[in-house]
Amino acid sequence: AQEGKDRYANLGVNGSYPTALAGLVECYGGAIRGKRVILHCNPLWLSSPKVDLREEEELNFNHLALVPQFSPGIPGYREEMSRRIGKVVERNVPFSSWTTHLQIAYYGGASVPGWTLDHPYANPLNPLTGVLPAPADKAESRPVPWTSTDIPKQNDMAWVDLPGSIQWSSFRRLVDVLQRRENTVLVIVGPYNEHLLKESSRVRYLELKRGIEDWLKERKIPYWAPPALPSQYYGDASHPLSAGYALLAKELVMGGFLASAESKAGR
C-alpha cells in the first residue's frame, strides 16, 4: 500500500525457522522465479545454541517435514528413522503430498481410516467438497506492548557465532536457491527488540548483526538493517506491533530500499 497499490503476497509460514524455510522453498517453491522477494533475517534464530539446533537436547519446533532429514545432520532434531524416511517420500512422491493435503484440508489432519473410526456412519467422501476451509480471521494473541507482559526486562541472550550456526547456514542456502532462480532478493535484518537486552547482550547482538551485514555486503545482496524501533512498538523480542510494521513499511519505501534492490539487479 505504501507504493500506491497492493503488490505483495505474504508467503510467511507460522513459526518457520530458516532450516524449514529453506526446505520449503527448495522443495515446494519452484514457481518463485523471476520475482521480487523480501526475506526477513530474524536474529532470534541465533539467540542460543538450543534455538540454533546445535545442541543434542531435542527442541520442539514447527514444520519438521521441511528440515533436512539426513544430511546435514541437525543435533536438535530427534526423529525415528522410519518417520524421516516417510517425510522424504512425501516430499518426492506427489501422490503422498496430495493425500496429506486432503487429510489436512478435509479430515482435520486425520487419515481417512482414522476419520471413519470417529464417524462410523458417515460417508468418507462427503468431506471432499472441493472448497478449501476459510482462513481464521482473528488475531492469535492480544497485541500489546511487551512491557505490559511478563517478558523479562533485562534479558541475557546466549548469542551463537555465525560460523558453525545451523540456522545461519540454512538462511544462506535459502538466499542461494532464490538467486539461482533469478529472483531479486532484498533482505531485512531485524529489527530485534534491543530494549529488553542487558547491555552486554546488546553489544554481542550488534556484533552478530554486523556479521550478517558483512556477508550480505560481500555477496552484494541488497539489504536493510533498520535500527531498533521505539520500545512501545514491540509485542515481544522480535515481533513489532501494527504501528511498528507500518513504520517499517513506510521507511522501506521512502528510503528507496526497494528501488535500490531492483536497480542492483538490473531491472
Side-chain angles (χ1 to χ4, degrees), residues 103-254:
Q103 291 171 7
I104 294 172
Y106 301 112
Y107 295 97
S111 66
V112 175
W115 184 88
T116 59
L117 291 176
D118 294 330
H119 307 80
Y121 302 107
N123 184 341
L125 298 180
N126 285 342
L128 299 176
T129 61
V131 178
L132 290 177
D137 189 19
K138 63 179 181 179
E140 293 292 332
S141 60
R142 189 165 58 95
V144 296
W146 71 278
T147 50
S148 63
T149 67
D150 58 358
I151 296 177
K153 305 299 189 292
Q154 289 290 307
N155 240 315
D156 191 8
M157 311 300 284
W159 303 102
V160 302
D161 294 326
L162 291 180
S165 166
I166 294 174
Q167 300 287 13
W168 175 237
S169 174
S170 297
F171 185 82
R172 290 187 286 117
R173 189 173 87 249
L174 169 61
V175 174
D176 288 342
V177 170
L178 288 170
Q179 289 192 318
R180 285 200 304 270
R181 294 173 181 171
E182 300 183 346
N183 293 291
T184 301
V185 179
L186 170 65
V187 176
I188 300 178
V189 184
Y192 191 84
N193 183 0
E194 300 174 29
H195 307 287
L196 57 71
L197 295 174
K198 288 183 178 180
E199 182 57 25
S200 59
S201 186
R202 178 178 173 275
V203 170
R204 179 73 186 96
Y205 158 70
L206 293 176
E207 292 174 354
L208 188 72
K209 186 179 177 183
R210 282 194 294 271
I212 294 172
E213 292 184 61
D214 288 343
W215 181 81
L216 293 168
K217 290 176 183 176
E218 180 182 337
R219 291 288 303 272
K220 296 182 172 57
I221 298 170
Y223 75 94
W224 180 40
L229 295 166
S231 181
Q232 69 271 19
Y233 283 0
Y234 286 99
D236 56 22
S238 64
H239 292 89
L241 300 174
S242 57
Y245 281 120
L247 179 60
L248 289 172
K250 181 178 180 180
E251 293 182 358
L252 182 63
V253 175
M254 300 302 292

Side-chain angles (χ1 to χ4, degrees), residues 31-57:
I32 306 175
R33 295 178 181 272
K35 309 292 185 182
R36 292 196 304 170
V37 178
I38 299 177
L39 281 181
H40 180 213
C41 183
N42 190 347
L44 182 68
W45 306 320
L46 309 170
S47 59
S48 75
K50 185 174 182 179
V51 173
D52 191 47
L53 301 175
R54 62 173 65 184
E55 290 189 348
E56 292 291 341
E57 180 183 356

